[in-house]
Amino acid sequence: MLELLGELLPYALTIAISPVPIIAVILMLMSPRPRALGGSYLAGWILGILAAASVFTALAGVLPEAGESTDPKPAVAIIQIILGALLLFLAIKQWRSRPKKGDEPELPKWMQGIDSMKPGIGLGLGFLLAAVNPKNLLVAAAAGLAIGQQEASGAATAAALGVFTLIAALTVLLPVLIFLVAPQKATQVLDQIREWLTANNTAIMVVLFVVLGGQLLGKGLGGI
């Protein structure tokens, strides 16, 4: 179990450190309805991570086995190679689209409407960013494959999914908790974090994609 959690940790941290979802929840906590909007977004974020990882965990369990029971599943290795290559492609794409020197980093246009967003929309947005966003989907797929190919018991699988989801959701959960405990002090701190994440979004994601993509590519090539 500890070995599996160690393997899942880089995937969970890649989702957790993604700047855009963190910036989104900080902006929601500065909106006219911070508790309702931030809470609904957090719920959608957690459900989305859990749903995506669970789907790929189930798919990994039905992948065909290799000729001997001790061999790795060749299909898993091939998928890992594909996921690794896609993450490296995203790293290149992200770097090439980085702001030019002196330009202000651009955030998604939907963030401009966060102040007027309703909690139900926040819930759906959190779910979509976690479960459908291509960047997170690739990472959740890798995590699900890692869990599913262990052929563990139902309880162990559920525990692994729970720990993975908790770690991946931690950076969205913490701003909400900080705001609930000390809303006045939290505003200034969270705004500083938002500014730093906005300025360094590209660099953070490029490093994460390169490291994780290279790791998956190596694992896949080693499993063939």
Side-chain angles (χ1 to χ4, degrees):
M1 183 64 177
L2 290 177
E3 182 180 353
L4 174 58
L5 293 178
E7 185 176 356
L8 292 176
L9 186 59
Y11 306 137
L13 290 177
T14 300
I15 295 177
I17 301 174
S18 299
V20 169
I22 304 172
I23 295 170
V25 74
I26 291 174
L27 290 175
M28 290 178 182
L29 293 173
M30 296 178 178
S31 70
R33 292 186 291 180
R35 289 176 175 79
L37 192 53
S40 62
Y41 174 80
L42 172 63
W45 180 249
I46 293 173
L47 290 173
I49 295 171
L50 182 59
S54 298
V55 168
F56 286 104
T57 297
L59 290 176
V62 299
L63 289 174
E65 298 279 359
E68 299 180 7
S69 59
T70 56
D71 290 338
K73 296 179 179 180
V76 171
I78 293 171
I79 293 173
Q80 286 174 333
I81 292 173
I82 294 172
L83 292 175
L86 288 172
L87 286 171
L88 292 176
F89 169 77
L90 285 177
I92 296 171
K93 183 180 178 182
Q94 190 98 21
W95 181 252
R96 293 185 65 180
S97 62
R98 70 189 185 281
K100 296 180 180 180
K101 189 174 181 179
D103 291 347
E104 289 291 328
E106 291 186 8
L107 292 174
K109 294 182 179 179
W110 53 262
M111 285 191 176
Q112 299 174 3
I114 281 182
D115 284 351
S116 59
M117 194 175 287
K118 296 181 179 180
I121 301 297
L123 176 69
L125 177 62
F127 185 89
L128 290 175
L129 285 177
V132 182
N133 181 285
K135 300 172 185 177
N136 283 357
L137 191 61
L138 291 175
V139 180
L145 289 173
I147 297 172
Q149 66 179 327
Q150 295 296 318
E151 299 179 353
S153 65
T157 298
L161 284 169
V163 173
F164 169 77
T165 301
L166 176 61
I167 297 173
L170 203 56
T171 50
V172 172
L173 172 63
L174 285 177
V176 175
L177 294 179
I178 292 172
F179 183 85
L180 292 176
V181 173
Q184 294 181 347
K185 293 182 179 179
T187 300
Q188 183 177 359
V189 174
L190 292 176
D191 193 47
Q192 291 175 349
I193 294 174
R194 177 192 62 80
E195 291 179 356
W196 187 88
L197 289 173
T198 301
N200 295 279
N201 177 35
T202 298
I204 293 170
M205 296 310 301
V206 168
V207 171
L208 290 175
F209 288 155
V210 168
V211 172
L212 193 58
Q215 179 186 357
L216 279 170
L217 199 58
K219 289 180 63 176
L221 290 172
I224 292 180

